[in-house]
Amino acid sequence: MQTVRDVMTTRVVTLPPETTLVDAAQTMRQQDIGDIVVADGHGPAGLVTDRDIVVRAVAERRDPGSTTIGEIQTPDLVTVRPDDTVQSVALLMRDNAIRRVVVCDHDDQLVGIVSIGDLAEEIDPDSVLGGISRANPNN
């Protein structure tokens, strides 16, 4: 049975909550990612996605140069362990209607992230979603 460790992305970008949306968006562009884990010095405190920036800030006419990721983050992280099964994580994501989960070790240290695309590639690589997830991003 496959585990989270087999499918998770270990290259996770973290930024402090006082990071502005402009800086976070530039980091996302430079790193070619769509999410950032907000870390407060005690571990993961929240998650911000490119969609969060659009829906929670830009659409609300908030100033991206002064609004911080800490202000718009999703604070209630759903976390999993590296040894959890891929199937259990897929069910957790479905039940919580989320697209990403943060992976923490037994000391609650951040070790990875799993997206719905990661699961699609692993569970059904021939599916349309699996194919989209494997495709090179548009720049």
Side-chain angles (χ1 to χ4, degrees), residues 31 60 80 95 101 104 135:
Q31 299 291 322
E60 297 293 325
V80 297
D95 294 346
V101 293
C104 294

Side-chain angles (χ1 to χ4, degrees), residues 12 15 18 81 119 122 127:
V12 181
L15 291 173
E18 61 271 8
R81 303 282 186 214
L119 294 182
E122 195 58 43
S127 70

Side-chain angles (χ1 to χ4, degrees), residues 108-121:
D108 291 325
Q109 296 300 308
L110 177 67
V111 295
I113 194 164
V114 175
S115 71
I116 193 169
D118 297 329
L119 294 182
E121 286 183 58

Side-chain angles (χ1 to χ4, degrees), residues 98-111:
I98 55 176
R99 294 177 177 95
R100 294 170 180 85
V101 293
V102 174
V103 184
C104 294
D105 65 15
H106 292 287
D107 295 322
D108 291 325
Q109 296 300 308
L110 177 67
V111 295

